[in-house]
Amino acid sequence: MQKEQIENLKNELKTAFNDINTLNELENKKVEYMGKNGKITLLGGMIKDIPNEEKKEFGMNLNELKNIFNENYDKIKKELEERIINEKLAKEAVDVSLPGTKINNGAPNILEKIIEEVESVFMSMGYDVVDGPEIEEDHYNFELLNIPKGHPARDAQDTFYVKGEDYLLRSQTSPVQARVMLASGGNKPIRMICPGKTYRRDADDATHSHQFMQIEGLLVDKDVSLSDLKGTFDVIAKKLFGEDCITRFRPSYYQFTEPSVETDISCFVCKGKGCSLCKNTGWITVSGAGIVHPNVLRNCGYDPAVWTGFAFGFGAERLAMLKYGINDIRTFYQTDLREISNFDRRDDE
Ligand code: DAH
């Protein structure tokens, strides 16, 4: 009787796995045959009713049945798992021959880059980088800097006034000198630069812009002379324009410095021989500078009998135009992305 059942189950197992398509169905088969109430398990439970001499054979047959089940089970399981993996791989396949998605790279703003370069040179010489207001008081922008109301030196800086005569869009970064000196209390040395926006009522053209960036600098200490300014300027020029760059001073006039100078660098294109960039002079002017006027020191709380200092003002656009061969200042304010990424490339040349 049990023999017959074993034979039947053997036959059944031949086709039992035929229509299994998922791991779930396979697990159900396991329960059906090998679970607690599974067909093979129940059959095994009958061993206790079998005469002793037949037990051995029954056991062997039962094992054979279990082996058949397990072999089938393992084989189907492997096949199903492989199929699942292959399906997953096929779904997630990447065609490496497809053209990639183009990613537009950003480029740093060229003025920002020049300013960071100048800042890092000055910081390496112990200067602080400070900020000042763009809407400024006449008092700081002109009066403390030795340019009283009605003085003709104001004409050189045609100014945007806001709110009457006392407030304006700063026409230079020099008021930040005055602010820093006043904040320092007249008894400490100062080394600072202030890069920032400035405004003048200029008609925009290739070399003028009603908004532009200056980089102001001030050093106050004891026994500061024009040769300290020259040495500092030399270092900056070499760092920005190359080790073979040489510098010179030309006399000039600013109300807030005495003596005042224009600072020139040797032309980095023709190395001083004369070319169109330097208008055949061999020299390029890059900033105004001078020894801080005693009136300015006094106005800002420093005793000119004890303290001296030098100051300078660079035009950031001018530096960038020279360095990157840009011939129109309006380029900086037209935000043409092609120009911006173009500057970035030029740096690698
Ligand atoms: N403020 C001047 C200008 O806008 C530039 C300048 C010249 C700044 C000489 C200075 C300086 O501090 O000492 O033209």
Side-chain angles (χ1 to χ4, degrees):
M1 152 77 173
Q2 287 85 0
K3 248 194 195 158
E4 210 177 293
Q5 272 182 306
I6 284 183
E7 267 326 295
N8 287 345
L9 274 181
K10 246 194 218 171
N11 281 332
E12 203 179 307
L13 282 180
K14 281 187 190 146
T15 53
F17 293 89
N18 279 0
D19 49 1
I20 288 190
N21 282 313
T22 65
L23 286 173
N24 237 350
E25 286 167 9
L26 185 67
E27 283 318 302
N28 288 343
K29 277 285 164 215
K30 193 166 193 171
V31 174
E32 187 184 337
Y33 287 91
M34 306 284 267
K36 223 158 73 184
N37 293 315
K39 292 176 182 170
I40 298 177
T41 315
L42 290 180
L43 195 62
M46 292 178 181
I47 195 159
K48 56 183 187 307
D49 307 324
I50 288 178
N52 275 348
E53 60 279 13
E54 288 174 28
K55 271 197 166 78
K56 190 174 169 198
E57 196 191 342
F58 178 78
M60 276 163 59
N61 285 329
L62 194 70
N63 269 345
E64 195 190 346
L65 208 53
K66 283 184 183 166
N67 286 341
I68 293 173
F69 180 89
N70 285 334
E71 271 165 29
N72 275 298
Y73 175 88
D74 290 346
K75 182 169 151 263
I76 302 288
K77 189 167 184 194
K78 207 169 150 223
E79 280 170 15
L80 282 176
E81 281 173 349
E82 260 172 33
R83 203 175 77 201
I84 289 167
I85 285 186
N86 286 338
E87 279 171 7
K88 202 165 172 223
L89 284 178
K91 227 198 284 169
E92 293 172 2
V94 176
D95 181 352
V96 290
S97 67
L98 283 174
T101 317
K102 194 167 181 299
I103 296 169
N104 287 325
N105 277 336
N109 180 288
I110 203 70
L111 279 177
E112 207 54 44
K113 213 164 139 178
I114 280 275
I115 287 168
E116 275 173 17
E117 226 175 294
V118 175
E119 281 177 358
S120 84
V121 181
F122 276 104
M123 284 194 298
S124 73
M125 296 193 288
Y127 284 67
D128 291 328
V129 178
V130 295
D131 254 347
E134 283 174 38
I135 296 180
E136 185 52 284
E137 292 174 41
D138 185 278
H139 184 62
Y140 293 98
N141 194 80
F142 289 126
E143 284 186 30
L144 289 178
L145 297 173
N146 205 27
I147 315 175
K149 282 207 165 76
H151 193 282
R154 290 196 179 207
D155 294 348
Q157 300 186 10
D158 210 350
T159 309
F160 287 109
Y161 282 89
V162 285
K163 266 174 89 178
E165 289 209 330
D166 292 333
Y167 291 90
L168 43 82
L169 293 181
R170 68 178 174 197
S171 58
Q172 49 186 354
T173 42
S174 306
V176 185
Q177 295 186 22
R179 287 182 172 276
V180 170
M181 277 193 265
L182 285 169
S184 302
N187 55 11
K188 284 196 283 287
I190 296 171
R191 272 186 239 183
M192 68 101 191
I193 61 164
C194 167
K197 293 193 194 96
T198 51
Y199 305 85
R200 287 185 201 174
R201 289 172 52 198
D202 276 330
D204 292 355
D205 62 23
T207 51
H208 295 86
S209 168
H210 63 278
Q211 179 195 310
F212 56 102
M213 302 278 292
Q214 278 193 340
I215 306 171
E216 185 76 19
L218 171 73
L219 179 142
V220 175
D221 212 323
K222 292 177 179 156
D223 301 321
V224 178
S225 72
L226 210 53
S227 59
D228 296 314
L229 174 60
K230 181 77 161 62
T232 305
F233 179 57
D234 262 354
V235 173
I236 304 299
K238 284 189 184 352
K239 285 262 168 29
L240 290 180
F241 293 99
E243 281 303 311
D244 53 355
C245 184
I246 56 171
T247 62
R248 75 171 185 187
F249 283 174
R250 279 183 299 114
S252 185
Y253 177 79
Y254 293 101
Q255 193 70 13
F256 32 83
T257 43
E258 180 59 36
S260 302
V261 294
E262 298 288 312
T263 64
D264 292 355
I265 57 167
S266 55
C267 179
F268 48 86
V269 172
C270 63
K271 308 283 176 221
K273 286 198 202 79
C275 69
S276 62
L277 182 70
C278 60
K279 302 201 179 73
N280 279 319
T281 61
W283 296 96
I284 296 169
T285 303
V286 290
S287 71
I291 294 296
V292 182
H293 197 291
N295 285 350
V296 175
L297 287 171
R298 206 175 293 116
N299 289 345
C300 300
Y302 274 79
D303 180 357
V306 181
W307 299 93
T308 40
F310 64 68
F312 51 85
F314 288 95
E317 285 85 354
R318 184 159 167 74
L319 288 183
M321 285 166 86
L322 290 169
K323 200 163 173 189
Y324 292 93
I326 300 161
N327 50 21
D328 193 327
I329 194 170
R330 288 168 293 196
T331 313
F332 296 108
Y333 296 102
Q334 281 163 350
T335 56
D336 183 337
L337 284 179
R338 287 168 307 176
E339 282 288 3
I340 292 172
S341 41
N342 204 21
F343 298 143
D344 203 35
R345 268 213 319 269
R346 277 183 224 178
D347 240 13
D348 303 329
E349 282 164 9

